[in-house]
Amino acid sequence: MRVQIPAGAGDVRGAVQDGFQDSVYLLSFAASAADTEAFVSDLRPEGGLQAVTPVDPTSAVGAELWTHIGLPDPATQPGVRKGAVCPPCIGDGRRSNVQGIDIGVQDLGGGRSRVYLWAFS
């Protein structure tokens, strides 16, 4: 997968989980709200990002993926908007080897956001 993290991003974390059939790529970083919106726009999420209600941490499906890189599951956090991208469906040749990307953006306050990406190939 090819993405360009904003130049001013910090607290960048990532991991790859190789699975039997699919691999999962995780990437997270914190950036200014403006850089975050530009980054998300470049991914072209279907239907944009929608606000979600946080779930109980004990029922979060992907919690173990995020704790592996020292972050809480974004599904358990307040102020998160989520969306999805199918790179092959929208003809994004830069990411054609990826079947899907889930995006989470958390408002951290003070004009900063945390981006969470899960990519599946």
Side-chain angles (χ1 to χ4, degrees), residues 3-105:
V3 296
Q4 183 66 43
I5 297 171
D11 194 21
V12 178
R13 304 179 195 202
V16 176
Q17 180 183 33
D18 288 323
F20 176 68
Q21 293 180 344
D22 298 319
S23 293
V24 177
Y25 302 86
L26 301 177
L27 175 65
S28 182
F29 59 87
S32 72
D35 283 347
T36 296
E37 294 308 314
F39 177 83
V40 170
S41 178
D42 181 55
L43 291 174
R44 300 183 289 179
E46 302 157 24
L49 300 181
Q50 306 300 316
V52 295
T53 302
V55 299
D56 183 301
T58 60
S59 64
V61 177
E64 72 284 347
L65 294 173
W66 294 107
T67 56
H68 178 72
I69 61 172
L71 293 171
D73 186 327
T76 67
Q77 301 302 297
V80 172
R81 298 175 292 139
K82 292 179 84 176
V85 179
C86 171
C89 300
I90 62 172
D92 187 347
R94 298 170 296 170
R95 302 173 186 109
S96 60
N97 62 327
V98 176
Q99 295 305 307
I101 303 171
D102 288 337
I103 307 164
V105 174

